Amino acid sequence: MKQLGMKLIELLAISLGVDRLCYKDLFEEGCSIMRCNNYPSCQQPSLTLGTGPHCDPTSLTILHQDHVGGLHVFADNRWQTVPPRLDAFVINIGDTFTALSNGRYKSCLHRAVVNKYKERKSLAFFLCPKEDKLVRAPDDIVSMDGIKHYPDFTWSDLLHFTQKHYRADQATLPNFIKWLQSSKTTQTSQLLR
């Protein structure tokens, strides 16, 4: 899965007009996450969600759904079902890659719903950068865009934020940026005292 993730990152780099290996160092030694999700059936599925609406804080998510399905993405101002295909993966862009692309690629807002009659399973692989590496859009992209949309941060900063201060949702990245800038301001103030 990691090799597939690395190839996808190369393709994304090419699509952004930068060297295909520009993100390699960031992810090569990263500690990625694999998770098996189990969503029991529910007689009243409209009363519950498997997971609420959120964007993944990681860079890429490679998801395999079982035949039951239940993944919804928010596109064209409405929730849309992603039909399950046993011969395919679903690829979601996460918040970290949004920052790495200077906002050109947007995090995928999604949710998981439960089924009334059958339990649902999925396997998710989350590609993460190495924790101490600096997450920043390449200079070439920032030059082309004329503005840098996100401050530099590390994956460990964002991971800490989502594990200790904020549950991932559709506003994780903007709230993380506010928290990060506030934390740096507080640290600077304490140093000046």
Side-chain angles (χ1 to χ4, degrees):
M1 291 301 273
K2 175 101 178 233
Q3 287 178 328
L4 175 59
M6 294 297 286
K7 288 295 180 194
L8 290 168
I9 290 291
E10 283 184 32
L11 292 171
L12 289 167
I14 291 167
S15 76
L16 290 166
V18 296
D19 183 275
R20 70 180 182 88
L21 300 177
C22 101
Y23 298 115
K24 182 181 179 184
D25 187 49
L26 190 62
F27 292 99
E28 201 166 42
E29 296 176 18
C31 183
S32 296
I33 303 159
M34 186 168 291
R35 183 176 71 209
C36 183
N37 301 306
N38 181 53
Y39 304 98
S41 61
C42 177
Q43 293 303 307
Q44 294 181 307
S46 62
L47 299 180
T48 188
L49 284 173
T51 56
H54 68 284
C55 296
D56 295 332
T58 56
S59 296
L60 285 181
T61 302
I62 303 171
L63 180 78
H64 186 266
Q65 301 188 80
D66 67 6
H67 66 285
V68 176
L71 175 65
H72 290 175
V73 296
F74 195 78
D76 299 325
N77 292 314
R78 64 186 179 92
W79 287 107
Q80 299 186 38
T81 299
V82 177
R85 289 187 49 171
L86 298 179
D87 63 344
F89 293 113
V90 176
I91 310 299
N92 287 343
I93 299 291
D95 289 336
T96 301
F97 200 81
T98 295
L100 287 169
S101 70
N102 203 37
R104 290 185 183 186
Y105 279 101
K106 304 295 182 204
S107 304
C108 177
L109 179 60
H110 61 285
R111 68 184 184 186
V113 297
V114 297
N115 185 284
K116 184 174 184 173
Y117 305 104
K118 297 179 182 175
E119 80 174 347
R120 172 181 179 257
K121 291 186 169 125
S122 67
L123 187 63
F125 176 82
F126 303 97
L127 184 68
C128 307
K130 190 165 186 219
E131 286 189 10
D132 63 346
K133 296 282 186 180
L134 204 56
V135 173
R136 66 180 312 180
D139 292 337
D140 292 348
I141 293 175
V142 175
S143 293
M144 287 186 267
D145 293 351
I147 188 169
K148 184 176 177 179
H149 293 289
Y150 301 96
D152 297 349
F153 60 89
T154 63
W155 167 239
S156 62
D157 291 335
L158 181 53
L159 184 62
H160 173 79
F161 177 71
T162 59
Q163 299 298 306
K164 303 285 184 191
H165 302 286
Y166 194 87
R167 184 177 169 88
D169 65 11
Q170 62 268 26
T172 302
L173 187 57
N175 284 315
F176 166 68
I177 299 304
K178 288 178 194 169
W179 174 82
L180 183 68
Q181 291 170 334
S182 168
S183 297
K184 288 183 178 180
T185 302
T186 302
Q187 290 171 355
T188 303
S189 297
Q190 290 173 347
L191 288 173
L192 294 175
R193 288 185 193 167

